[in-house]
Amino acid sequence: MAAAGAPRPGPLKQQNKAHKGGKHSGSSQRRAGGRVPVKAQPRRRLRDLNRVDRRHQALQLRRQRKEAVLAEKRSLGSRDGPPHLVVVVLLHSRAAAHDSLRLLQSQDSAVVRADEGTAGGFALLCPRLKQRWRFVTAPAGDLHAVLDLAKVADSLLFILDSVEGWDSAGEHCLSCLFAQGLPSYALAVPGGTDLPPKKRIDARKKLSKSIEKRFPEAKLFPLNTEQESSLLLRHLSSQKQRHLAFRDRRAHLLARAAEFVPSQDSHLVGTLKVSGFVRGQTLSVNSLVHIVGHGDFQLSQVDAPPDPLSLNPRVVKGQKRSQDMEVQDDSANGADEMEEDVKVLMRADPSKQESLQSEVVPDPMEGEQTWPTEEELQEAEDSLKANRRVVKVPKGTSKYQAAWIVDDGEGSEKDDDDDDEDDDMDDLMEEAVSQEGESSEEEAGEEESETMTVSECLRDDQYDEKMEEDEQMLERYKQERMDEMFPDEVDTPRDVPARVRFQKYRGLKSFRTSPWDPKENLPRDYARIFQFQDFSRTRKNLFRQIEKEEAEGASVIPFCCVPFVWYVTLHVCNVPVSVMESFKEGKPLVLFSLLPHEQKMSVLNFLVRRHPGNSEPVRAKEELIFHCGFRRFRASPLFSQHTSADKHKLERFLRPDAALVVTVYAPITFPPASVLLFKQRSNGMHDLIATGSLLSVDPDRIVIKRLVLSGHPFKIFTKTAVVRYMFFNREDVMWFKPVELRTKWGRRGHIKEPLGTHGHMKCHFDGQLKSQDTVLLNLYKRVFPKWTYDPHVPEPVPWVRSESTLPEQEVEME
């Protein structure tokens, strides 16, 4: 019982509502429905860990990374991995690779086996060290071969001259390799033994000082004795491996042997059996492969022949074992016994195999509106021209009376060809400059023809051809200079109305904030390409799946009890015979597996910067050669500014002082991927003009071409001025009246009314103009790249070698 004196609440006591913590808090909890945010749990877990646990966790992560690096270093070139692929690159014309490779082959208890197809390639097997290497010499002067071998090499071995280091061709080769991505490397200096010991040490110091700018942390390895060659091999096997992102996420293979089996229908196409060691990721028979320089192909079968470079080879009955075995002997001796050992790993499944379709087949009846084709528009225009004539009639004449008036053929309308020329960026300003240049050249030619004597010598004709090239280059320099001085400015035509000439252009209130629909007025080529709903999300999910498979260690190519099969034979379908011919000529045959969607065409944007070694003007829509990741193709790109806005202004020339975005139609490639831009000379040589990386795969990136019409103030009042020379008829002034004006000195205004019939107009500004100021009117139009993609790139002419290009080399040698 309660105490007698304790107060008790009565039935009329006030009951207050409980506090709910705020309206927004309760509503958010009801909307969540009891779900906990994803990031809440990791934060709480980190908050619960004390300092000792956090330090222990960081130590574990550091230890795991260290063990991963050591495991990768131990597996490279060992029995449990593919041979250590070393590509030998000569950086000087006097650098002899033959003597250096002979020293590497003279190792104790080492087995040397030659390769087929690649000139000077051999394998080095050291059972005592439990290491195996494969050395491939890059052809001197062949830029494509050097870049292709560097894409798949584990290490690069640069052979330098003992005095000069490298020459101009070596400098060009190094620039391309650094831009593409340099794997692990080593510097070897053979020779120099003929110098006295003191001069030898001085030359070594000068050479080391010279190469510090290119290789700041590199160590020079002399290569004159067997002991020095063993030290070089030890360095190659123990150094830290540098990774290239575009090859680590794809399986790649350098062919050691190849066989072409022609098809029954044609001898020009057949099945190519490529044998080599698979590196990088695991390979699936249902995925596509890309043969560098030749295109994309499908696989039909994957075989597992015996490893020809095994450290403990099996002794086949009736087969002799020798120290120096040629590849021809391997393929001839016991060929029947080898056939029995070849096992089929996988066969392609047609239901799961990737398709080679690279373009969308557009349906002309598909879409929300039935827009007529170009052929139908041309037919309608021709029929109208045939049934319609333009005649001059007195004022007040009716259509019925005008039909009886005889036409004398004058007053016919002109075709609108200027817009087609405008699509090719042949602006009137540039045409005027070129016409002036041509007239001056004709005058100069007339003057020269009176006094010049014609020689029958062949050298004079060749010299004249060079002079014509110089004149064309001078004309390009003039156009580039005019574009720098007067960016985007064009002269208003006198023979064509401005409203007709610039009918595809529009005015914008603000280039930064004014809207522009990315799906508006797309060209017909956009119906042939593929587009992602969210490219970054697709790329992230794909890479996450690759990392998951790599972490789980799931092998796509099982072989009995061995976790991985490194040496395989790929059956590539429908390959032209030219691929086999190039392999027989000694050129490397490199294969890369393609990720999903990488065979499909889309719009690629590259962020590039002008190479400092190239100063020639490069105009937009000129044919350039692209080395993008593992691909090589030709295209005519667009140049645009690299900004964070939704619209990007077109650039007519490749600027040397800023990074630009290059836009082309090309197959989809998932970044990161490096890109190199080359321009082919008239003599066949390839000049490196720009380097960069893949920015995005985005067809909705809006590239805007700007035209600037200029006028000059004729009469200036307080805030009003009469402007002339911008237009030359009254109708053009009325047509462009809604477009805003600006001046070079920062004034803004608009057109009030036209004055007279010769293009004078009264304009109102936000301040008084100066007599030296210029009135400008901006017009904009979206532009698209041309479909000029060509996967077949001609072989470059070998680079002309000259003297050394090392900095401070000549001064020090003096």
Side-chain angles (χ1 to χ4, degrees):
M1 291 182 61
R8 297 187 178 184
L12 301 179
K13 180 177 175 58
Q14 181 179 355
Q15 298 292 336
N16 296 328
K17 291 183 178 180
H19 182 64
K20 295 183 178 180
K23 176 181 179 182
H24 299 287
S25 176
S27 60
S28 62
Q29 291 178 1
R30 287 192 296 271
R31 285 196 303 268
R35 294 188 297 268
V36 181
V38 179
K39 296 183 179 180
Q41 186 66 22
R43 290 179 182 176
R44 187 181 307 166
R45 188 183 305 155
L46 290 177
R47 195 185 306 117
D48 293 342
L49 293 178
N50 54 20
R51 184 176 61 178
V52 178
D53 295 337
R54 289 197 302 268
R55 184 180 301 174
H56 182 64
Q57 186 179 16
L59 182 62
Q60 287 180 335
L61 294 176
R62 194 182 311 118
R63 188 177 301 164
Q64 290 176 1
R65 287 193 294 265
K66 185 177 180 180
E67 290 177 355
V69 171
L70 291 176
E72 179 188 8
K73 188 182 297 184
R74 294 190 186 102
S75 63
L76 183 62
S78 64
R79 185 185 306 169
D80 299 331
H84 192 146
L85 181 58
V86 181
V87 176
V88 182
V89 182
L90 304 181
L91 296 182
H92 201 280
S93 58
R94 291 199 299 265
H98 184 69
D99 298 336
S100 303
L101 297 179
R102 183 180 299 174
L103 285 174
L104 293 174
Q105 295 176 8
S106 62
Q107 299 294 320
D108 295 337
S109 66
V111 180
V112 180
R113 295 185 181 178
D115 293 343
E116 75 176 37
T118 55
F122 66 94
L124 187 65
L125 307 178
C126 296
R128 183 173 59 87
L129 300 177
K130 296 182 180 181
Q131 289 286 327
R132 52 180 181 169
W133 292 272
R134 184 185 175 194
F135 290 87
V136 178
T137 305
D142 192 348
L143 182 62
H144 286 179
V146 174
L147 294 178
D148 293 345
L149 288 173
K151 293 172 184 176
V152 295
D154 295 322
S155 300
L156 296 180
L157 178 59
F158 294 114
I159 306 297
L160 281 69
D161 183 62
S162 59
V163 178
E164 296 183 355
W166 57 77
D167 53 10
S168 60
E171 175 70 21
H172 180 66
C173 180
L174 286 177
S175 300
C176 299
L177 288 175
F178 273 92
Q180 177 181 267
L182 197 65
S184 303
Y185 60 89
L187 304 179
V189 185
T193 56
D194 53 345
L195 297 176
K198 188 175 181 180
K199 291 186 178 180
R200 194 184 310 167
I201 295 175
D202 294 340
R204 179 73 179 276
K205 289 182 179 179
K206 292 177 182 178
L207 184 60
S208 300
K209 185 178 180 181
S210 312
I211 66 174
E212 283 183 357
K213 293 185 178 180
R214 275 289 189 186
F215 306 97
E217 299 178 358
K219 179 183 178 182
L220 288 176
F221 287 89
L223 197 57
N224 299 312
T225 61
E226 295 183 7
Q227 184 179 4
E228 292 174 348
S229 64
S230 62
L231 291 176
L232 178 60
L233 286 177
R234 188 182 298 272
H235 173 73
L236 289 173
S237 60
S238 62
Q239 68 177 347
K240 183 180 179 181
Q241 294 297 311
R242 305 176 65 178
H243 294 274
L244 300 180
F246 72 89
R247 76 176 185 185
D248 287 344
R249 292 189 174 94
R250 300 169 179 87
H252 51 276
L253 178 145
L254 176 63
R256 186 177 182 272
E259 179 186 357
F260 183 79
V261 180
S263 62
Q264 299 178 356
D265 300 335
S266 174
H267 294 283
L268 300 178
V269 180
T271 301
L272 184 66
K273 298 180 181 180
V274 183
S275 300
F277 293 89
V278 177
R279 304 168 190 273
Q281 297 295 326
T282 53
L283 180 65
S284 174
V285 71
N286 294 320
S287 62
L288 301 179
V289 294
H290 175 79
I291 302 179
V292 178
H294 300 281
D296 303 335
F297 303 94
Q298 287 180 333
L299 296 177
S300 61
Q301 183 177 323
V302 178
D303 298 340
D307 191 347
L309 303 181
S310 176
L311 290 175
N312 298 318
R314 293 184 301 167
V315 180
V316 182
K317 186 177 181 180
Q319 182 179 0
K320 297 182 180 180
R321 183 175 181 181
S322 62
Q323 289 287 55
D324 300 332
M325 300 177 64
E326 299 292 333
V327 174
Q328 290 81 1
D329 298 338
D330 290 341
S331 59
N333 297 339
D336 298 334
E337 292 85 357
M338 297 277 289
E339 285 291 332
E340 298 178 358
D341 295 337
V342 174
K343 296 187 178 181
V344 178
L345 294 180
M346 285 191 303
R347 299 185 187 273
D349 187 0
S351 61
K352 299 181 181 179
Q353 197 171 21
E354 290 282 346
S355 174
L356 283 173
Q357 181 183 2
S358 61
E359 301 177 14
V360 179
V361 180
D363 186 3
M365 302 302 295
E366 183 181 1
E368 297 181 358
Q369 56 183 357
T370 56
W371 189 258
T373 62
E374 295 181 359
E375 292 79 6
E376 295 174 349
L377 291 174
Q378 188 65 31
E379 291 177 2
E381 187 176 355
D382 295 340
S383 62
L384 287 176
K385 287 182 180 179
N387 299 327
R388 182 186 299 174
R389 55 195 179 94
V390 180
V391 295
K392 295 181 179 179
V393 296
K395 187 175 182 180
T397 305
S398 63
K399 293 182 179 180
Y400 177 78
Q401 294 172 341
W404 292 93
I405 298 178
V406 179
D407 186 16
D408 55 356
E410 296 181 358
S412 60
E413 293 183 352
K414 295 183 179 181
D415 296 335
D416 188 17
D417 296 334
D418 291 337
D419 291 322
D420 297 335
E421 297 177 357
D422 178 66
D423 292 339
D424 297 333
M425 295 190 179
D426 294 334
D427 298 323
L428 295 179
M429 177 190 70
E430 298 164 355
E431 292 177 0
V433 173
S434 62
Q435 290 175 2
E436 292 177 2
E438 291 176 0
S439 61
S440 62
E441 291 174 5
E442 292 176 359
E443 295 176 0
E446 293 176 359
E447 295 176 0
E448 292 176 358
S449 63
E450 297 177 358
T451 59
M452 189 170 143
T453 58
V454 180
S455 175
E456 297 180 357
C457 182
L458 182 60
R459 295 181 179 178
D460 294 340
D461 298 337
Q462 294 177 353
Y463 190 80
D464 291 339
E465 293 178 359
K466 294 181 180 179
M467 292 300 296
E468 293 178 0
E469 294 179 2
D470 291 344
E471 291 176 357
Q472 296 177 0
M473 187 61 62
L474 178 61
E475 187 64 31
R476 290 187 178 183
Y477 277 116
K478 287 182 180 179
Q479 295 178 3
E480 186 180 24
R481 182 61 177 169
M482 289 292 293
D483 188 63
E484 290 180 0
M485 296 174 60
F486 307 99
D488 304 326
E489 288 193 30
V490 298
D491 294 333
T492 306
R494 302 290 297 271
D495 54 345
V496 180
R499 63 185 183 277
V500 177
R501 171 67 177 85
F502 307 119
Q503 62 182 348
K504 293 185 179 180
Y505 291 82
R506 68 180 70 174
L508 295 178
K509 179 69 175 178
S510 173
F511 183 81
R512 184 179 62 86
T513 60
S514 297
W516 197 301
D517 187 7
K519 304 297 184 182
E520 176 186 0
N521 295 333
L522 296 179
R524 293 182 60 86
D525 290 336
Y526 264 52
R528 303 165 58 184
I529 65 174
F530 291 85
Q531 184 175 2
F532 294 95
Q533 185 176 4
D534 191 345
F535 177 75
S536 60
R537 183 178 61 186
T538 304
R539 171 180 172 271
K540 186 183 298 183
N541 294 337
L542 182 61
F543 287 174
R544 187 184 294 117
Q545 182 181 359
I546 294 175
E547 293 176 358
K548 182 180 179 181
E549 292 178 357
E550 184 179 2
E552 293 177 354
S555 176
V556 184
I557 312 178
F559 180 64
C560 297
C561 300
V562 184
F564 288 94
V565 172
W566 302 104
Y567 191 75
V568 297
T569 299
L570 307 180
H571 295 247
V572 189
C573 304
N574 300 326
V575 179
V577 70
S578 59
V579 180
M580 188 64 191
E581 293 176 353
S582 65
F583 180 71
K584 290 181 178 180
E585 293 175 359
K587 298 179 182 178
L589 185 59
V590 179
L591 284 78
F592 274 86
S593 66
L594 297 182
L595 299 178
H597 314 295
E598 284 195 331
Q599 80 278 11
K600 301 173 182 178
M601 296 291 292
S602 187
V603 179
L604 271 63
N605 303 304
F606 306 98
L607 179 62
V608 302
R609 186 176 290 273
R610 185 76 171 265
H611 190 260
N614 186 276
S615 59
E616 295 182 0
V618 180
R619 191 176 177 180
K621 294 189 178 181
E622 285 189 16
E623 186 181 28
L624 301 178
I625 298 173
F626 289 76
H627 286 248
C628 173
F630 54 89
R631 290 189 183 273
R632 184 166 63 238
F633 58 89
R634 291 187 294 176
S636 300
L638 293 179
F639 302 146
S640 59
Q641 293 181 353
H642 178 51
T643 59
S644 59
D646 60 340
K647 296 180 290 295
H648 311 274
K649 192 178 81 67
L650 177 76
E651 291 290 345
R652 289 179 170 81
F653 290 89
L654 187 62
R655 301 297 181 188
D657 55 348
L660 298 180
V661 176
V662 177
T663 303
V664 292
Y665 290 110
I668 294 172
T669 303
F670 289 98
S674 59
V675 61
L676 285 75
L677 270 64
F678 292 89
K679 185 178 179 181
Q680 186 172 1
R681 294 184 187 176
S682 58
N683 58 1
M685 297 176 60
H686 291 180
D687 289 337
L688 180 63
I689 62 171
T691 60
S693 60
L694 177 60
L695 180 64
S696 63
V697 180
D698 185 13
D700 289 340
R701 190 177 190 273
I702 302 176
V703 180
I704 302 296
K705 179 181 180 181
R706 183 182 70 172
L707 286 185
V708 180
L709 305 181
S710 59
H712 301 276
F714 178 53
K715 296 180 181 180
I716 301 176
F717 303 99
T718 305
K719 289 189 177 182
T720 308
V722 178
V723 180
R724 60 180 178 179
Y725 301 148
M726 182 177 290
F727 304 107
F728 299 99
N729 55 72
R730 186 182 183 91
E731 290 76 11
D732 289 343
V733 178
M734 296 299 296
W735 180 268
F736 291 100
K737 186 176 180 181
V739 184
E740 186 182 13
L741 302 176
R742 68 178 183 89
T743 68
K744 289 189 176 181
W745 288 14
R747 297 299 181 187
R748 293 188 175 273
H750 59 276
I751 302 174
K752 290 187 66 176
E753 57 181 354
L755 299 178
T757 59
H758 290 77
H760 289 208
M761 56 186 181
K762 183 185 293 184
C763 304
H764 183 77
F765 296 91
D766 57 356
Q768 188 172 6
L769 296 184
K770 301 292 183 180
S771 59
Q772 302 89 349
D773 205 350
T774 304
V775 182
L776 305 176
L777 185 142
N778 295 336
L779 298 176
Y780 303 95
K781 182 189 74 169
R782 184 180 180 183
V783 292
F784 302 90
K786 297 291 185 181
W787 194 286
T788 56
Y789 171 77
D790 185 6
H792 303 289
V793 178
E795 294 293 333
V797 175
W799 187 267
V800 179
R801 292 184 177 271
S802 62
E803 296 181 356
S804 171
T805 56
L806 288 177
E808 304 176 1
Q809 182 78 31
E810 299 177 358
V811 179
E812 293 179 356
M813 294 305 295
E814 292 177 357

